């Protein structure tokens, strides 16, 4: 299983988004660590987080008239569809290993989504509010890679 830990490489410079992304990482870690007895609870918690997280970002995009909104929302909807499918499978008595597969896909998906989609949104919001892109200080970035 892939190591998935918070790193300053994920910082985007919009503190509310960075805080939500820290929570995302923690929820995915809980999915990765879940066993047969805790897997459904971890999945339900992750789904609740994802729904709040993606709704919050959609609201930011709509309130600031973010130009790349559709593509960004489409990615979120794909994640939510997968979550619903995995949860239905699990609740129907399916193999719990499907949750590990979902967690691995989230580990692969998140860095690229954050680097491109979320970074663009973060920059857009900060520029509209302050007139420029955010300055982000990242510690030990080379040591983490």
């Amino acid at each position: 299983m892939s190591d998935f830990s918070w790193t300053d490489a994920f910082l985007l410079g919009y503190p509310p988004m960075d805080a939500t992304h820290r929570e995302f990482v923690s929820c995915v870690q809980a999915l990765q660590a879940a066993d047969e007895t805790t897997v459904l609870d971890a999945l339900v918690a992750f789904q609740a987080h994802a729904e709040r997280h993606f709704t919050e970002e959609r609201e930011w995009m709509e309130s600031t008239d973010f130009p790349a909104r559709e593509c960004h929302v489409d990615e979120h909807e794909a994640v939510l569809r997968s979550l619903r499918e995995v949860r239905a499978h699990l609740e129907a008595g399916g193999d719990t290993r499907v949750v590990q597969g979902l967690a691995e896909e989230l580990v692969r998906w998140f860095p690229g989504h954050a680097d491109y989609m979320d970074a663009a949104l973060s920059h857009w919001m900060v520029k509209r509010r302050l007139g420029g892109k955010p300055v982000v200080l990242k510690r030990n970035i080379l040591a983490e890679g």
Side-chain angles (χ1 to χ4, degrees), residues 84-96 98:
R84 287 189 284 272
E85 289 172 10
V86 168
R87 184 169 174 181
H89 172 80
L90 201 60
E91 288 175 336
D95 189 345
T96 60
V98 72

Side-chain angles (χ1 to χ4, degrees), residues 56-68:
E56 180 177 54
E57 287 187 11
R58 179 191 290 249
E59 289 170 356
W60 291 335
M61 288 184 265
E62 289 172 356
S63 70
T64 64
D65 203 26
F66 182 61

Side-chain angles (χ1 to χ4, degrees), residues 15-92:
M17 185 181 285
D18 290 335
T20 299
H21 286 174
R22 279 183 188 270
E23 184 182 338
F24 178 92
V25 169
S26 293
C27 288
V28 172
Q29 287 175 320
L31 288 177
Q32 289 179 312
D35 61 24
E36 297 281 327
T37 62
T38 62
V39 69
L40 182 58
D41 289 341
L43 186 63
V44 168
F46 178 77
Q47 185 175 3
H49 162 81
E51 288 170 354
R52 279 190 320 273
H53 176 162
F54 298 161
T55 297
E56 180 177 54
E57 287 187 11
R58 179 191 290 249
E59 289 170 356
W60 291 335
M61 288 184 265
E62 289 172 356
S63 70
T64 64
D65 203 26
F66 182 61
R69 167 173 63 235
E70 257 182 72
C71 182
H72 198 144
V73 168
D74 287 348
E75 278 201 16
H76 290 169
E77 288 302 319
V79 170
L80 291 173
R81 271 192 309 277
S82 294
L83 266 167
R84 287 189 284 272
E85 289 172 10
V86 168
R87 184 169 174 181
H89 172 80
L90 201 60
E91 288 175 336

